[in-house]
């Protein structure tokens, strides 16, 4: 390998914007020397203020090799204002303006980050169209990253629906029109055989989390192809804001294998491949190359979160890669963990243990069967009974009726474990009457399916029926919060996938909980990263659920809540991270040694802060 001291450096004088001319050094290095140069001495060398260097590796051993022309630079002057990671806008101090060639590039006023935050929030609130807010937030992220995260952290309840659901759904639908600059990597079939090179094109090298989608099942909106990029971008913004993972360690990726969405294929503004989806071997080969390249480039501890894949691929990818890579599927595992947490917390209100309850699901896809499996595992762990037994407490209804053993042959593999012996039942209402569940969970994506009759039957069977209407968006919710409370005469414990406002019934105010995946995945990911965990074990999901349930206070329970308020999310994430890391250490999956004594404190100390730093 060629070493840094064998490189020959070329010095240049570059003109800098605004008529200013400053001596700069530029170093172009080969990939093999980049590692040695990354330590920072490169940019600080020679006392050149804001110096940038370039060196050409002229070692004869590398002459016939392909090299990547990496440049490592210190931004100053106009470039600094255009660098979102370091830009502070009007918050640059007088001293920083002198030291970094900013004089005259900014109006004379110096303001605080707090004032900037107030101003941007004021502007955002003036937009009446949600998509305008989304675009404004994305612009801010591109302009001033720390201010973006400060806003998001300080106003999480208000801005979560802007950068994530529901607005991100509309953003994905119109992604071609609002596309300005790439916010992540696009890996299409055209890059087959070159994925490792593509990964090296990303400017950040120390990546810890990748969120990847192939865009086939974006939220409840179906196949949005390459426009699905809004999802990894949004989820990673939450990784930073809610879980404290550094933004530079996050990499959003969209895998483009085409789309079967005719509307997009005929849309002039569509940004993806104009072909129908590749499937079968072509698809698996691309994914295999991707997973290998990721591990080769970033090592064993890179976390890959699969997001919004269609359910056939989602289950297959998870089972294929979970033993070889650090992978996590939020739609299956994250959903399961957040819902299990709600159920565990709800036991305080409805009584008994999980094993005392009977669960009926409407919808047996990624969410439904993922939740069902995790409930069965939790009961199995707690009661020391075999999984085959604990699964018998859980029943699922799909579009063809109750899943029963006589249907086993024709069922998809992930439904089979729940095909129990029972005569066929065609409708949800009949299933409620036959199974007599204590908990009813909706994960079919079909709205208004918890009818008055269904909910009233639940209320006639249970003193406190536990009803979770998880389908999104709001229009697809199985029932509304108001319906759940009214039809059960205020006895239901209710939570939903989409948020509902508090409901007043019979003089009492009920606050419905939201089973939002954003409670779990940022803290869960932080726990994996900070402990150097190399595989996701199901017990880590249980640890996350328990930590979240522990954060529900007496005051929350009094309002009927089974999830803690979102405003405490960073504290919640630190607890989840600590519990997940503790379990990973216990299982021997954590590689960061020695094990920190106080994991909550350690999690908090690892978290990214968006407060501006002072520049030399
Ligand atoms: P999916 O496509 O994998 O599964 C949907 C399932 O519902 C399939 O088994 C399908 O057969 C079944 N189904 C469809 N129509 C039905 C009908 N009329 N009656 C009964 N079953 C029917 O989708 P998914 O990823 O499991 O998501 C399902 C829903 O759950 C979506 O609306 C999604 O937004 C929601 N969800 C909520 C959360 C959350 O609240 N945190 C998390 C994930 C998913």
């Amino acid at each position: 390998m060629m070493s840094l001291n064998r490189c020959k450096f070329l010095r240049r004088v570059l003109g800098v914007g605004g008529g200013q001319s400053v001596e700069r050094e530029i170093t172009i290095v080969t990939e093999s020397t980049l590692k040695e140069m990354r330590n920072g001495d490169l940019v600080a060398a020679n006392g050149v203020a804001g110096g940038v260097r370039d060196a050409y590796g002229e070692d004869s051993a590398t002459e016939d090799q392909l090299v990547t022309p990496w440049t490592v630079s210190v931004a100053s002057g106009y470039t600094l204002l255009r660098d979102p990671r370091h830009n502070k806008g009007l918050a640059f101090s007088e001293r920083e303006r002198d030291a970094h060639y900013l004089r005259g590039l900014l109006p004379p006023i110096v303001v605080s980050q707090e004032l900037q935050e107030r101003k941007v929030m004021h502007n955002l609130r003036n937009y009446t169209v949600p998509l305008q807010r989304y675009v404004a937030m994305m612009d801010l992220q591109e302009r001033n990253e720390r201010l973006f995260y400060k806003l998001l952290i300080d106003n999480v309840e208000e801005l979560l629906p802007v950068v994530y659901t529901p607005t991100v759904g509309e953003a994905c639908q119109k992604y071609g029109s609002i596309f300005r600059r790439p916010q992540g990597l696009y890996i299409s079939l055209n890059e087959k055989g070159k994925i490792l090179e593509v990964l090296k094109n990303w400017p950040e090298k120390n990546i810890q989390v990748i969120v990847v989608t192939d865009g086939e099942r974006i939220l409840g909106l179906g196949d949005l192809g390459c426009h699905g990029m809004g999802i990894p971008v949004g989820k990673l913004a939450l990784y930073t804001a809610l879980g404290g993972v550094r933004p530079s360690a996050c990499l959003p990726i969209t895998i483009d294998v085409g789309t079967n969405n005719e509307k997009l294929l005929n849309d002039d503004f569509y940004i993806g491949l104009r072909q129908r989806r590749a499937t079968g071997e072509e698809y698996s080969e691309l994914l295999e190359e991707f997973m290998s390249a990721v591990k080769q480039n970033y090592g064993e501890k890179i976390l890959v979160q699969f997001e919004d894949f269609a359910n056939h691929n989602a289950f297959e990818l998870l089972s294929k890669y979970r033993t070889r890579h650090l992978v996590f599927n939020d739609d299956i595992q994250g959903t399961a963990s957040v819902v299990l947490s709600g159920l565990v917390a709800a036991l305080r209100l409805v009584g008994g243990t999980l094993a005392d309850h009977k669960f009926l699901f409407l919808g047996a896809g990624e969410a439904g069967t993922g939740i069902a499996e995790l409930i069965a595992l939790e009961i199995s762990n707690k009661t020391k009974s075999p999984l085959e037994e604990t699964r018998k407490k859980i029943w699922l209804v799909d579009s063809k009726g109750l899943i029963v053993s006589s249907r086993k042959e024709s069922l998809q593999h992930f439904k089979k474990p729940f095909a129990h012996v029972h005569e066929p039942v065609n409708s949800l209402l009949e299933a409620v009457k036959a199974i007599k569940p204590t908990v009813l969970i909706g994960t079919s994506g079909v709205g208004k399916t918890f009818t008055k009759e269904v909910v009233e039957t639940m209320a006639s069977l249970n003193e406190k029926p536990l009803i979770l209407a998880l389908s999104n968006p709001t229009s697809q919710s199985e029932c509304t919060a108001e319906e759940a409370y009214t039809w059960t005469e205020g006895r239901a414990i209710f939570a939903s996938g989409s948020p509902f406002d508090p409901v007043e019934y019979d003089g009492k105010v009920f606050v419905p909980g939201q089973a939002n995946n954003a409670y779990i995945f940022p803290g869960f990911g932080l726990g994996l990263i900070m402990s150097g965990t190399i595989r996701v074990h199901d017990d880590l999901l249980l640890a996350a659920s328990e930590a979240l349930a522990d954060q529900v206070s007496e005051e929350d329970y009094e309002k009927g809540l089974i999830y803690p308020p979102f405003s405490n999310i960073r504290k919640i994430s630190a607890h989840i991270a600590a519990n997940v890391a503790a379990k990973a250490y216990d299982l021997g999956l954590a590689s960061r040694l020695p094990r920190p004594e106080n994991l909550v404190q350690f999690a908090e100390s690892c978290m990214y802060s968006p407060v501006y730093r002072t520049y030399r």
Side-chain angles (χ1 to χ4, degrees):
M1 192 207 275
M2 185 178 68
S3 74
L4 180 58
N5 55 20
R6 288 169 66 196
C7 284
K8 183 177 166 190
F9 295 103
L10 283 188
R11 301 190 56 145
R12 291 185 177 167
V13 175
L14 290 185
V16 184
Q20 206 178 12
S21 182
V22 177
E23 187 184 346
R24 298 288 151 121
E25 273 184 89
I26 302 231
T27 309
I28 295 184
V29 297
T30 60
E31 278 166 58
S32 56
T33 57
L34 180 72
K35 227 190 252 161
E36 295 159 68
M37 303 170 99
R38 213 187 271 138
N39 296 335
D41 47 341
L42 166 73
V43 287
N46 292 339
V48 179
V52 184
R53 279 208 207 162
D54 246 68
Y56 292 98
E58 290 186 355
D59 188 302
S60 59
T62 65
E63 265 168 18
D64 54 354
Q65 286 181 17
L66 293 176
V67 293
T68 309
W70 297 115
T71 69
V72 181
S73 63
V74 171
S76 71
Y78 197 68
T79 322
L80 180 54
L81 295 180
R82 299 273 148 175
D83 172 1
R85 192 139 293 158
H86 300 104
N87 180 29
K88 305 194 217 176
L90 292 178
F92 278 112
S93 68
E94 299 285 358
R95 213 176 58 76
E96 287 170 330
R97 292 176 190 210
D98 282 333
H100 296 282
Y101 306 94
L102 296 169
R103 282 271 163 225
L105 298 181
L106 291 164
I109 194 85
V110 175
V111 303
S112 66
Q113 194 178 19
E114 285 63 36
L115 187 84
Q116 289 180 313
E117 183 178 352
R118 254 198 298 137
K119 184 180 81 175
V120 182
M121 283 309 294
H122 172 81
N123 292 344
L124 279 176
R125 287 174 184 140
N126 276 339
Y127 290 122
T128 47
V129 179
L131 192 61
Q132 285 175 328
R133 287 189 191 165
Y134 176 88
V135 172
M137 281 300 279
M138 291 302 112
D139 281 347
L140 179 62
Q141 193 178 18
E142 286 288 312
R143 199 169 67 241
N144 183 336
E145 190 177 86
R146 279 179 184 266
L147 188 56
F148 169 83
Y149 284 112
K150 182 115 178 39
L151 242 69
L152 202 47
I153 291 168
D154 293 347
N155 306 277
V156 65
E157 275 159 322
E158 185 174 349
L159 294 180
L160 202 64
V162 178
V163 298
Y164 206 64
T165 51
T167 312
V168 75
E170 192 188 351
C172 287
Q173 287 173 311
K174 298 174 181 162
Y175 210 71
S177 311
I178 61 174
F179 179 87
R180 287 164 156 79
R181 294 165 77 186
Q183 294 172 291
L185 274 178
Y186 294 87
I187 297 177
S188 77
L189 288 169
N190 294 342
E191 278 72 56
K192 193 161 188 292
K194 302 180 249 182
I195 297 182
L196 187 58
E197 283 171 50
V198 174
L199 293 179
K200 288 180 191 293
N201 287 342
W202 187 248
E204 299 293 344
K205 303 298 150 210
N206 294 323
I207 301 298
Q208 294 174 319
V209 200
I210 289 173
V211 174
V212 59
T213 187
D214 72 352
E216 189 167 2
R217 199 236 57 191
I218 296 299
L219 306 168
L221 304 166
D223 184 353
L224 296 185
C226 203
H227 286 184
M229 182 55 111
I231 299 297
V233 169
K235 284 254 158 151
L236 284 167
L238 304 190
Y239 254 109
T240 299
L242 315 185
V245 179
R246 277 181 298 115
S248 59
C250 299
L251 172 55
I253 296 184
T254 291
I255 296 197
D256 184 356
V257 294
T259 176
N260 294 340
N261 183 330
E262 288 299 330
K263 209 170 141 208
L264 288 179
L265 288 171
N266 295 314
D267 178 354
D268 284 345
F269 298 153
Y270 182 56
I271 59 172
L273 287 183
R274 273 168 211 279
Q275 64 167 75
R276 298 187 71 77
R277 277 187 179 274
T279 55
E281 245 175 59
E282 199 182 1
Y283 180 86
S284 334
E285 278 174 19
L286 192 76
L287 266 292
E288 178 67 27
E289 186 190 338
F290 167 71
M291 292 303 293
S292 308
V294 160
K295 202 179 197 177
Q296 207 178 330
N297 205 36
Y298 302 115
E300 191 76 33
K301 288 179 276 180
I302 177 83
L303 169 62
V304 178
Q305 177 165 320
F306 295 118
E307 202 64 52
D308 286 1
F309 283 73
N311 75 25
H312 51 282
N313 288 326
F315 284 109
E316 206 171 306
L317 291 170
L318 186 60
S319 71
K320 184 169 175 186
Y321 292 109
R322 63 182 303 167
T323 51
R324 292 193 268 144
H325 295 255
L326 181 66
V327 292
F328 171 69
N329 182 306
D330 189 45
D331 305 303
I332 301 172
Q333 298 168 300
T335 303
S337 185
V338 76
V339 174
L340 176 63
S341 165
L343 296 174
V344 170
L347 293 175
R348 289 277 295 275
L349 298 169
V350 296
T353 64
L354 267 192
D356 299 328
H357 286 270
K358 211 189 260 184
F359 305 83
L360 179 66
F361 285 77
L362 179 69
E366 289 180 62
T369 58
I371 302 165
E373 272 295 335
L374 203 65
I375 295 173
L377 183 68
E378 173 77 356
I379 300 176
S380 166
N381 282 1
K382 286 268 148 66
T383 59
K384 309 282 175 245
S385 326
L387 255 182
E388 296 71 41
E389 281 307 306
T390 58
R391 283 189 187 120
K392 289 183 182 156
K393 294 176 182 298
I394 303 167
W395 296 80
L396 293 102
V397 172
D398 67 6
S399 52
K400 297 193 177 68
L402 190 66
I403 294 179
V404 290
S405 50
S406 54
R407 292 178 53 197
K408 207 159 186 172
E409 286 307 300
S410 60
L411 288 172
Q412 286 162 291
H413 67 92
F414 48 88
K415 297 180 184 176
K416 285 188 182 177
F418 298 96
H420 312 311
V421 179
H422 198 283
E423 64 209 37
V425 175
N426 292 326
S427 75
L428 177 66
L429 181 60
E430 281 176 62
V432 172
K433 287 178 178 165
I435 304 298
K436 301 188 175 35
T438 55
V439 182
L440 181 64
I441 303 178
T443 52
S444 67
V446 186
K448 308 201 189 314
T449 36
F450 291 175
T451 57
K452 188 162 187 269
E453 262 185 306
V454 165
V455 175
E456 281 177 353
T457 309
M458 281 298 290
S460 72
L461 293 168
N462 302 287
E463 174 55 32
K464 287 187 174 172
L466 184 44
I467 297 176
L468 307 185
L470 299 180
S471 290
N472 296 310
T474 315
S475 59
Q476 299 311 108
S477 190
E478 284 77 6
C479 66
T480 64
E482 189 173 2
E483 287 167 344
Y485 294 123
T486 313
W487 293 338
T488 59
E489 295 156 331
R491 286 186 285 125
I493 311 298
F494 177 82
S496 52
S498 300
F500 282 104
D501 289 333
V503 174
E504 199 182 324
Y505 176 81
D506 206 14
K508 192 174 169 201
V509 176
F510 295 87
V511 185
Q514 192 193 354
N516 193 330
N517 288 31
Y519 274 118
I520 292 283
F521 74 83
F524 186 78
L526 178 66
L528 300 177
I529 292 168
M530 73 184 206
S531 57
T533 295
I534 52 163
R535 296 286 177 273
V536 170
H537 188 285
D538 283 340
D539 283 358
L540 305 188
L541 300 170
L542 299 180
S545 302
E546 283 161 14
L548 177 58
D550 279 349
Q551 296 298 307
V552 186
S553 67
E554 278 310 319
E555 202 186 317
D556 301 328
Y557 283 125
E558 272 163 31
K559 293 181 200 152
L561 278 169
I562 53 174
Y563 292 100
F566 220 86
S567 47
N568 293 339
I569 187 65
R570 280 208 150 201
K571 180 175 153 261
I572 295 168
S573 293
H575 277 85
I576 293 174
N579 223 31
V580 168
K583 184 54 88 180
Y585 279 108
D586 293 348
L587 294 174
L589 292 168
S591 66
R592 188 199 178 278
L593 296 169
R595 172 182 175 147
E597 244 169 60
N598 185 331
L599 284 164
V600 175
Q601 247 173 39
F602 182 62
E604 279 166 352
S605 73
C606 291
M607 285 179 153
Y608 165 84
S609 158
V611 174
Y612 288 143
R613 288 174 303 178
T614 306
Y615 300 145
R616 263 196 283 276

